Amino acid sequence: MSNFKEKLPLFQSNDVQISNVVNAVWSIANTLRGAYRADKYRDVIIPMFVLTRLEAALLPTKDEVVALYKSNPNTPEKVLENKSGYKYYNTSSFTLENLQNDPNAIEENFIAYLDGYSCRVKDIIENLKFKEQVHTLAQSGRLFTVIKKFSQIDLSPSSVDSMVMGYMFEDIIRRFSENEEAGSHYTPREVIALMVNLLLIEADEELFVDKKELKILDMAAGTGGMLATAKSYIRKLDTGATVRLFGQEVLPETFGIGQADMLIRQEDSDYFVKTDTLKDPDPFPDKKMSFVIANPPFGQSWGGKDADDGVEDAVKRDHNLFESTEGRQGRFVATPGTGDAQLLFHLHGLAKLEENGRAAIISNGSPLFSGGTSSGESQIRRYILENDLLEAIIALPGQFFYNTGIGIYIWIYNKNKSPERQNKVQFIDATEEFVPLRKSLGQKRRELSQDNIRQILQWYDDFKENDHVKIFDKKEFLYREYTVMQPLQRRGYITKETIEKAKSVPFLTKLFDEYQYQELLEMEPRSAKDEKKLQDFEAGKDKQEAILDALGEGITDESYPNFEVFVQVIKDLLGHIKVTPANINALALAMSEMDKTAEVIRTKKKDKPNEIADGIVYDKTTKDSEIVKLTEDVEDYFAREVYPHVPDAHYWFDEEKGYGAEIPFTRYFYHYQEPESAEKLLAEFYDLEAELQTLLEELKHD
């Protein structure tokens, strides 16, 4: 087979004319005013739009299907599907057009029309919850009008191909979804075009051996636009490969639309399933994918009170399975913060790839750097980098999505990197690659032109550094975190000022809370529990006052250069009061300060992690951390970055928790721009002031 790279990049025209149909649909929505709130128009318009498309595809064979069914109501489903030409059919004699012949029975007849559809479409109708709207439409006198207006819109496959239909779906849904969460759905087609080309340009040509089956997964499929676009592009390569699409979507409405589109495209709709990717069992357990392409939701909670029921337990079970089997089973090497599941979708996609598979997944900036060293985010990044799965990250401009203006990143994964890319990660800064839209679409004000896509692909394929491209060893983003502390050298003071500082020590403040105490005093009647709490506060107040009074007895002009001696002094002052050693130490810390002239505290114990080293006790209040890349020797790092400032610093490393990873993408493309001088800014201000004054004078004369 010839090198298919020569056929890339592949494009679909951005200049698709959909305004006439979309505006017609939008005008139908206006007829619902009064019966529906504006935010509920979508409950009618989207299902009717779907039904109009489904019916239009069936009309050429409609009479034959109805006749066959009437001749034998027990006709097998497969026979009726073959007769219709699609994997669905309608046995009702009604159509959107002839339903208008009997306005008085339109509700009853329309229900019969809906019930005439086969199971796959009934499932779509159920997911869109459309039957619930029919009675409301009929009662308000809008049902006839809505049916009539939709019957006048031509959505037949012969007039409107799948690509154009996709654009229509997206624009209509966008108009009804301006306030949806960022990253929820509807990736612009030109962004999908870039992603597909990125997947193909470095793909193993063995994937495209004639008649081989290519499997493409989107585990956050929305309406299926990514899958449809990917398939249409691969078909343009004319490789002879069979392309099968696999989609997972959790939202009923978007699933319904995607399922409808799959039926119309004559795809195997059994592979487009309504399921929660994070919670539910894998619907394709025996399938490994050639490609994964996805735009998972940004900021979706997988745990805590904002998560859907059962998701948190399912994620934790999967993570435990991964750990207990050392990665042989399960997907989730770690769990990120409960408020953002993006990286979990990345892990799912990687788990589904075959050995030479590739993935393109959209994210916002958070997965690049969020979380500390031991966090789930850091450990997921570490897993991805250590296993050499990440091939490239491409930064795109903001204002690309319909419902958010934030910038986005495309992560490119490859399980079978070319030799030159092994153990390397490529960054591409494409934030200036865009053309402005002539007219904004929601928050989308920019798009990728074909020239923009071609340029990004060129940078990617060349694999050479320039102002927009950086190439790194994967170890650049892997690091060790070292705990750093200074020797315990503190000078203690017993003065009115240090006693005042002692009042803020946590154990002391918990003894008595004036606000809660007054609330309890005013409470009438008080429960036994509240009465006990009141008594505890009164006892705590007495103890608090006793501690402060005892410390006051020790006020002196002297200082204590030995911290151990100072602790003993505090202990002696409080001898008659029940106070734990930890509490005494907390008071001593609050009433002392670090002083390099004070005595270094030593012990017979040689070593204790994060406390003692070589018989020297270290000050926990000086605890800090240093991040050292795996590419750098730790002693060289400390000699350069730490010892010049803190010569007596000591560091520890935790083998279990000390390894991490972050990807500070923007840092590598930052260019310092010197700010304008104050004098220049002031001069510009005076110029503007003078210009404004002139304009005001002109207005006076007018």
Side-chain angles (χ1 to χ4, degrees):
M1 189 185 79
S2 62
N3 191 331
F4 62 79
K5 273 193 181 183
E6 298 173 1
K7 302 177 182 180
L8 302 177
L10 301 168
F11 301 110
Q12 291 176 336
S13 173
N14 287 343
D15 188 23
V16 179
Q17 299 302 313
I18 61 173
S19 58
N20 289 339
V21 172
V22 171
N23 288 337
V25 172
W26 192 247
S27 70
I28 299 172
N30 290 329
T31 67
L32 301 176
R33 188 173 295 149
Y36 287 83
R37 299 198 317 265
D39 62 331
K40 296 295 183 182
Y41 291 174
R42 61 182 293 156
D43 297 346
V44 173
I45 299 302
I46 290 176
M48 282 299 302
F49 188 73
V50 169
L51 287 169
T52 302
R53 172 68 165 186
L54 291 173
E55 180 184 274
L58 293 180
L59 282 178
T61 59
K62 171 81 171 178
D63 292 341
E64 295 175 59
V65 170
V66 172
L68 180 60
Y69 178 75
K70 286 184 175 180
S71 67
N72 180 13
N74 295 318
T75 301
E77 185 175 89
K78 192 67 178 177
V79 175
L80 293 170
E81 288 177 354
N82 290 338
K83 181 63 71 173
S84 77
Y86 292 89
K87 292 189 175 182
Y88 71 101
Y89 53 87
N90 192 325
T91 58
S92 166
S93 58
F94 292 115
T95 64
L96 294 179
E97 185 173 350
N98 67 31
L99 278 166
Q100 302 164 51
N101 296 337
D102 189 358
N104 294 325
I106 194 147
E107 180 180 3
E108 179 184 348
N109 293 342
F110 188 56
I111 292 294
Y113 165 83
L114 296 177
D115 289 340
Y117 276 107
S118 55
C119 292
R120 285 186 173 91
V121 178
K122 286 180 179 176
D123 188 43
I124 293 169
I125 293 168
E126 182 179 347
N127 278 291
L128 296 176
K129 298 181 174 59
F130 184 51
K131 274 194 174 182
E132 299 172 10
Q133 308 304 323
V134 175
H135 184 66
T136 301
L137 286 167
Q139 288 295 105
S140 64
R142 268 82 166 180
L143 182 59
F144 181 89
T145 302
V146 168
I147 290 173
K148 179 180 179 179
K149 287 184 177 291
F150 270 104
S151 72
Q152 297 167 349
I153 299 174
D154 182 9
L155 294 180
S156 61
S158 60
S159 302
V160 181
D161 65 21
S162 294
M163 183 193 74
V164 175
M165 195 67 197
Y167 275 106
M168 288 181 184
F169 269 144
E170 288 169 0
D171 199 45
I172 288 169
I173 295 169
R174 174 191 62 79
R175 295 192 187 204
F176 290 113
S177 310
E178 295 288 354
N179 297 318
E180 290 283 352
E181 294 179 2
S184 297
H185 43 226
Y186 323 128
T187 310
R189 287 299 170 101
E190 79 275 10
V191 176
I192 302 174
L194 172 63
M195 295 170 74
V196 174
N197 278 286
L198 286 166
L199 286 176
L200 295 175
I201 201 166
E202 277 287 321
D204 188 339
E205 290 203 22
E206 287 299 312
L207 288 170
F208 293 88
V209 174
D210 287 351
K211 298 184 180 180
K212 180 177 174 85
E213 182 180 78
L214 288 175
K215 297 179 287 293
I216 309 174
L217 170 69
D218 184 349
M219 61 283 188
T223 60
M226 280 190 166
L227 292 170
T229 304
K231 182 171 183 175
S232 68
Y233 280 14
I234 290 172
R235 278 179 168 171
K236 288 184 179 184
L237 292 173
D238 195 26
T239 65
T242 300
V243 181
R244 297 201 183 279
L245 305 180
F246 297 79
Q248 298 172 244
E249 174 56 29
V250 66
L251 298 176
E253 184 180 80
T254 46
F255 167 73
I257 295 170
Q259 180 84 330
D261 199 37
M262 289 290 166
L263 288 175
I264 293 161
R265 295 176 193 273
Q266 296 186 294
E267 300 287 348
D268 192 337
S269 60
D270 291 340
Y271 291 149
F272 193 90
V273 297
K274 183 177 177 294
T275 183
D276 189 319
T277 299
L278 302 181
K279 180 177 71 174
D280 299 327
D282 184 357
F284 321 116
D286 59 337
K287 306 289 186 185
K288 289 289 187 179
M289 305 296 164
S290 314
F291 299 109
V292 170
I293 185 168
N295 173 21
F298 306 163
Q300 175 180 305
S301 296
W302 65 265
K305 62 181 179 62
D306 294 325
D308 291 338
D309 290 344
V311 175
E312 182 172 355
D313 288 342
V315 169
K316 288 180 176 178
R317 279 197 305 273
D318 190 286
H319 171 53
N320 292 335
L321 179 63
F322 187 97
E323 284 197 325
S324 64
T325 63
E326 298 181 336
R328 294 186 300 276
Q329 297 180 52
R331 301 163 291 171
F332 304 144
V333 60
T335 54
T338 58
D340 193 354
Q342 285 181 84
L343 283 171
L344 295 179
F345 284 94
H346 286 235
L347 290 174
H348 177 85
L350 288 168
K352 292 300 296 181
L353 284 179
E354 59 189 39
E355 287 308 306
N356 58 347
R358 292 171 56 77
I361 301 176
I362 288 175
S363 79
N364 62 12
S366 178
L368 293 167
F369 54 81
S370 60
T373 300
S374 61
S375 70
E377 292 92 335
S378 176
Q379 296 310 306
I380 292 169
R381 291 189 291 266
R382 178 186 167 194
Y383 169 82
I384 290 168
L385 290 162
E386 287 183 342
N387 287 278
D388 200 23
L389 299 169
L390 181 61
E391 188 166 85
I393 296 176
I394 298 95
L396 295 181
Q399 302 180 10
F400 261 29
F401 281 84
Y402 302 118
N403 55 356
T404 178
I406 65 174
I408 57 172
Y409 299 83
I410 301 173
W411 296 53
I412 303 297
Y413 295 104
N414 191 350
K415 280 197 168 182
N416 186 29
K417 290 184 178 181
S418 62
E420 68 174 346
R421 290 181 177 270
Q422 288 174 10
N423 298 312
K424 304 290 185 184
V425 180
Q426 183 183 19
F427 286 179
I428 299 176
D429 179 12
T431 53
E432 299 301 318
E433 289 296 316
F434 65 88
V435 294
L437 287 176
R438 293 190 300 271
K439 183 180 179 182
S440 297
L441 297 172
Q443 295 190 49
K444 182 175 173 62
R445 299 178 177 88
R446 298 166 172 173
E447 66 179 357
L448 292 171
S449 68
Q450 293 187 7
D451 286 341
N452 295 141
I453 294 175
R454 191 175 284 107
Q455 178 62 81
I456 295 168
L457 288 175
Q458 189 69 56
W459 286 332
Y460 181 77
D461 191 45
D462 286 346
F463 198 59
K464 295 177 181 176
E465 289 199 338
N466 56 48
D467 289 344
H468 298 275
V469 179
K470 306 294 181 185
I471 299 170
F472 303 95
D473 188 288
K474 69 183 185 182
K475 290 183 179 179
E476 173 74 12
F477 314 111
L478 296 166
Y479 65 83
R480 296 184 183 96
E481 181 177 341
Y482 292 86
T483 299
V484 184
M485 290 197 291
Q486 299 176 48
L488 182 57
Q489 292 175 275
R490 300 187 72 86
R491 187 176 295 273
Y493 303 88
I494 304 178
T495 65
K496 289 182 179 180
E497 289 76 16
T498 60
I499 292 173
E500 191 65 29
K501 290 181 180 179
K503 291 180 179 179
S504 62
V505 173
F507 93 89
L508 207 57
T509 60
K510 290 178 181 178
L511 290 173
F512 180 72
D513 186 310
E514 179 68 37
Y515 179 77
Q516 290 189 47
Y517 178 69
Q518 290 298 329
E519 276 195 330
L520 290 167
L521 276 179
E522 296 169 7
M523 192 180 293
E524 195 64 42
R526 286 190 292 273
S527 66
K529 185 179 178 180
D530 290 331
E531 187 64 39
K532 175 66 166 58
K533 197 172 182 180
L534 181 67
Q535 292 172 9
D536 289 344
F537 272 142
E538 289 173 345
K541 184 180 182 181
D542 292 341
K543 185 173 182 178
Q544 188 185 78
E545 290 175 350
I547 290 171
L548 295 173
D549 288 344
L551 292 173
E553 293 295 323
I555 290 177
T556 176
D557 292 333
E558 292 183 35
S559 66
Y560 299 86
N562 185 302
F563 186 73
E564 287 185 322
V565 170
F566 185 55
V567 169
Q568 186 61 49
V569 170
I570 301 289
K571 183 179 180 180
D572 292 342
L573 288 170
L574 304 180
H576 61 292
I577 305 170
K578 189 177 180 180
V579 184
T580 67
N583 291 340
I584 291 171
N585 200 68
L587 289 170
L589 286 171
M591 297 172 69
S592 63
E593 61 186 24
M594 189 172 70
D595 184 347
K596 288 299 182 182
T597 67
E599 296 178 26
V600 174
I601 304 302
R602 301 179 182 274
T603 177
K604 292 181 179 180
K605 295 180 181 177
K606 280 298 186 183
D607 296 291
K608 189 176 182 181
N610 298 331
E611 289 188 28
I612 300 168
D614 297 324
I616 296 174
V617 180
Y618 284 83
D619 188 350
K620 292 182 181 180
T621 68
T622 66
K623 188 175 181 178
D624 202 351
S625 62
E626 292 291 331
I627 301 296
V628 184
K629 296 176 182 177
L630 293 191
T631 53
E632 185 165 13
D633 180 81
V634 62
E635 277 298 325
D636 291 344
Y637 175 88
F638 271 78
R640 185 183 71 251
E641 300 290 343
V642 179
Y643 296 146
H645 311 287
V646 190
D648 55 358
H650 186 83
Y651 62 84
W652 289 268
F653 178 68
D654 187 331
E655 286 286 348
E656 291 187 3
K657 300 180 179 179
Y659 290 97
E662 67 172 356
I663 306 174
F665 185 100
T666 56
R667 183 187 303 169
Y668 296 99
F669 295 98
Y670 174 75
H671 296 287
Y672 174 75
Q673 291 184 330
E674 188 174 348
E676 299 283 1
S677 67
E679 292 79 9
K680 185 178 179 181
L681 292 172
L682 188 61
E684 290 178 355
F685 174 78
Y686 285 139
D687 289 343
L688 288 170
E689 188 179 43
E691 185 180 340
L692 179 61
Q693 191 63 40
T694 301
L695 290 171
L696 290 171
E697 291 296 326
E698 290 175 357
L699 287 171
K700 285 181 183 178
H701 292 302
D702 289 344

